[in-house]
Amino acid sequence: MKKLVTTLAFLMLNVPVLLACEVCRKNQPKVLQTITHGAGPTGTLDYIITWSAVALVTVTLVLSLKFLVRPGETGSDHIKNVVLNPNR
């Protein structure tokens, strides 16, 4: 646990290093000026693709956490019981 907290603290302290440089800030649209390096989105299709990916990742994260915390398998013949409790 201590190692995890140390790693997270280190990553959070280095966030300014990961932000965009001055040249990239000038080339980005106003919404993304401090977030990303390189060429920004060039059209509406780029924004649609980006926000669709953000939505997909968010839904995937929420569902994976939901099923990790409360999987909902109650059957005694479920595969998780065979793997976790082989003597039954």
Side-chain angles (χ1 to χ4, degrees):
M1 184 70 171
K2 186 176 179 182
K3 191 174 187 179
L4 176 67
V5 171
T6 305
T7 304
L8 288 176
F10 177 74
L11 290 174
M12 292 175 88
L13 291 174
N14 285 322
V15 168
V17 175
L18 302 174
L19 298 177
C21 63
E22 291 299 322
V23 174
C24 292
R25 284 186 197 164
K26 293 176 184 174
N27 295 331
Q28 292 291 335
K30 189 171 186 169
V31 177
L32 301 172
Q33 280 183 346
T34 59
I35 297 174
T36 184
H37 283 281
T42 57
T44 306
L45 184 61
D46 288 344
Y47 284 109
I48 292 171
I49 292 170
T50 302
W51 287 111
S52 298
V54 167
L56 183 65
V57 168
T58 303
V59 168
T60 304
L61 177 65
V62 168
L63 289 176
S64 65
L65 290 175
K66 175 185 172 189
F67 289 122
L68 183 65
V69 172
R70 293 202 175 149
E73 297 100 10
T74 56
S76 61
D77 60 340
H78 191 273
I79 188 69
K80 87 166 178 181
N81 292 323
V82 173
V83 172
L84 297 176
N85 302 319
N87 295 331
R88 283 189 169 188

